[in-house]
Amino acid sequence: MLVYLLVTIAALVVAVGEVIQQRSAAQAPPEHNLSIRLLLWLLHRPQWLAGLAASTAGNIIFATAVGRGNLALVEAVFVVRLLFAVILAALWGRHRVPARDLLGSLAINAGLIAFLLAGHPSKGHSGQIPDLRWLIGGGAVVIAALVLTALARRSSPVPKAALLGVGAGLLFGLQASLTQSALRMLSHDGVVALLASWHGYAVAAVAVVGMLLMQSAFEAAPLTASYPGVVTAELISGIIIGIVVLGGAVRLGPTHLAIVVAGLLVMIAGIYLLTTSPLVTGQLDELVRRQDVGAALRIEQRLARELHRADRIVARAHRRGEGGRRLQRELARIDAGIDRLCRLQEDIRRHRQAEQERLPELSQDQQQQMAETHRALIEQERTIDEQARRLQQQIATLTRRANQPTVVADSPP
């Protein structure tokens, strides 16, 4: 009984940490999404560091409980952290938890618990595992996470947060198995052997990328859109790695398999309920506006680099008395970037207007929170507009210079 009390405490502590991290990441500059700059920005935020410390402490408590109890039962209890996180996020936002959010959280928990108890997976051992097996199993997980990230880049905020959450969860599951293997090597062979092998470096790399994906998911949309994917994918990824790489097993009798499939279907239904929560869909205009602001700032940075490159090409062409297709390609790319920037500016204005129309429907607390976000976004939009005007002036000047006839220097007698 003490073990399960310990796991429940661990789940609560982790949930507190994840909610704090999501609240901090949601305030990050939108142009930092999926960039290492996001993690660097968060590292300077004491609130986010406190959330990270709480999550780490909770995971340490969980690891202690795993060593004292049945793995499947302990993990079944630990999934309750999703329910805790949804309730805590609502309390922090000063609003009631919608019934569908509670139902979605309970469905995910019920589905995962059914999956664990029916399949009763064992994660195998972390002994001497051939590197080829790690390459195949771990590589498949990494490729899946990269594919999800590529899809997320082209998605609107809510699907983006869900896809990135699943990608992060896959990597965290792989990280847990790699950590288990690295710790075994450390205890048996010592620090020198660990430093000479790839295991420790792989743990660090997977942890950093997984953290970047999770924080980007937290920045893109509220916790109910991103966190279910993290919890479910982390658990399932860990089980798959345990079976494929570490030699674990799962019960596959007809009854057990039917319960596992039913659990997965219930879990998917719960994820759908959470990602389509009114707390998420009610913020779509703000979320899309934030994403568009981040995209516009990135486009302006790219255009500034392309203008600098085109300016050097023009200067070189005039010195040598030659034009070139390369310059035409650069100018065409710059024109396309300006068109994309103009469309984003129009989209930002449209979603800003939609936000303002919805404002009277919100509670006082929600209106205050939206007003703070609105002020920050307005300042960023003003920066975008000013920079766009400067870029257009620079493009006009560059185009005039490019169209001037080149002068070829006389050859010496």
Side-chain angles (χ1 to χ4, degrees), residues 285-286 289 345-357 374 377-378 381-382 385:
D285 287 303
E286 178 191 330
R289 183 181 166 198
Q345 287 175 295
E346 182 58 36
D347 202 41
I348 289 168
R349 284 189 283 269
R350 187 171 67 253
H351 286 291
R352 186 201 309 144
Q353 183 179 354
E355 279 181 64
Q356 297 306 306
E357 290 173 356
H374 177 71
L377 288 175
I378 281 289
E381 290 167 29
R382 188 177 296 115
D385 291 339

Side-chain angles (χ1 to χ4, degrees), residues 28-332:
E31 67 273 21
H32 288 356
N33 194 275
L34 286 176
S35 167
I36 197 67
R37 291 180 298 169
L38 175 60
L39 295 183
L40 296 176
W41 187 89
L42 290 170
L43 284 171
H44 290 86
R45 298 297 178 277
Q47 184 186 66
W48 184 82
L49 292 173
L52 180 63
S55 296
T56 304
N59 280 301
I60 291 172
I61 297 172
F62 171 68
T64 303
V66 166
R68 299 183 178 184
N70 180 282
L71 178 63
L73 291 175
V74 167
E75 288 192 326
V77 175
F78 193 51
V79 298
V80 79
R81 69 189 189 276
L82 173 61
L83 180 61
F84 287 159
V86 169
I87 295 172
L88 289 169
L91 290 175
W92 195 333
R94 298 180 183 177
H95 52 71
R96 291 188 307 105
V97 184
R100 65 178 291 148
D101 286 22
L102 282 176
L103 180 61
S105 301
L106 290 171
I108 294 172
N109 279 270
L112 286 173
I113 290 170
F115 174 82
L116 286 167
L117 297 184
H120 201 79
S122 63
K123 292 190 176 181
H125 59 87
S126 56
Q128 209 54 34
I129 305 297
D131 288 349
L132 180 61
R133 203 187 297 177
W134 274 117
L135 181 63
I136 293 172
V141 170
V142 171
I143 290 171
L146 291 176
V147 170
L148 291 170
T149 303
L151 293 173
R153 286 183 180 275
R154 304 171 183 271
S155 303
S156 56
V158 175
K160 179 179 186 177
L163 290 168
L164 291 177
V166 172
L170 291 176
L171 293 179
F172 289 149
L174 174 59
Q175 178 197 342
S177 298
L178 285 169
T179 302
Q180 185 181 352
S181 178
L183 289 175
R184 181 192 176 280
M185 180 176 291
L186 178 64
S187 62
H188 283 74
D189 304 320
V191 176
V192 175
L194 180 61
L195 291 175
S197 78
W198 56 268
H199 292 77
Y201 305 104
V203 169
V206 171
V208 170
V209 177
M211 181 63 71
L212 175 59
L213 295 188
M214 185 171 75
Q215 300 306 321
S216 294
F218 285 169
E219 190 276 332
L223 185 134
T224 49
S226 53
Y227 199 48
V230 176
V231 173
T232 55
E234 180 178 357
L235 180 61
I236 293 172
S237 172
I239 291 170
I240 292 173
I241 290 291
I243 294 170
V244 173
V245 178
L246 304 181
V250 63
R251 290 192 297 206
L252 291 176
T255 303
H256 298 132
L257 187 60
I259 296 173
V260 165
V261 171
L264 290 174
L265 291 175
V266 170
M267 180 192 69
I268 291 170
I271 291 175
Y272 172 78
L273 288 175
L274 280 179
T275 53
T276 56
S277 163
L279 297 179
V280 177
T281 57
Q283 300 180 50
L284 281 181
D285 287 303
E286 178 191 330
L287 297 174
V288 173
R289 183 181 166 198
R290 277 180 56 84
Q291 181 168 287
D292 285 349
V293 164
L297 289 168
R298 286 193 294 271
I299 287 174
E300 287 185 341
Q301 292 167 0
R302 194 191 72 227
L303 282 172
R305 293 193 299 269
E306 290 176 348
L307 274 168
H308 182 65
R309 187 164 57 244
D311 187 61
R312 287 185 300 174
I313 293 172
V314 170
R316 193 182 310 121
H318 279 280
R319 283 199 307 271
R320 298 178 181 178
E322 58 185 23
R325 294 179 183 175
R326 184 182 174 190
L327 176 59
Q328 296 305 317
R329 286 197 299 269
E330 287 289 341
L331 292 175

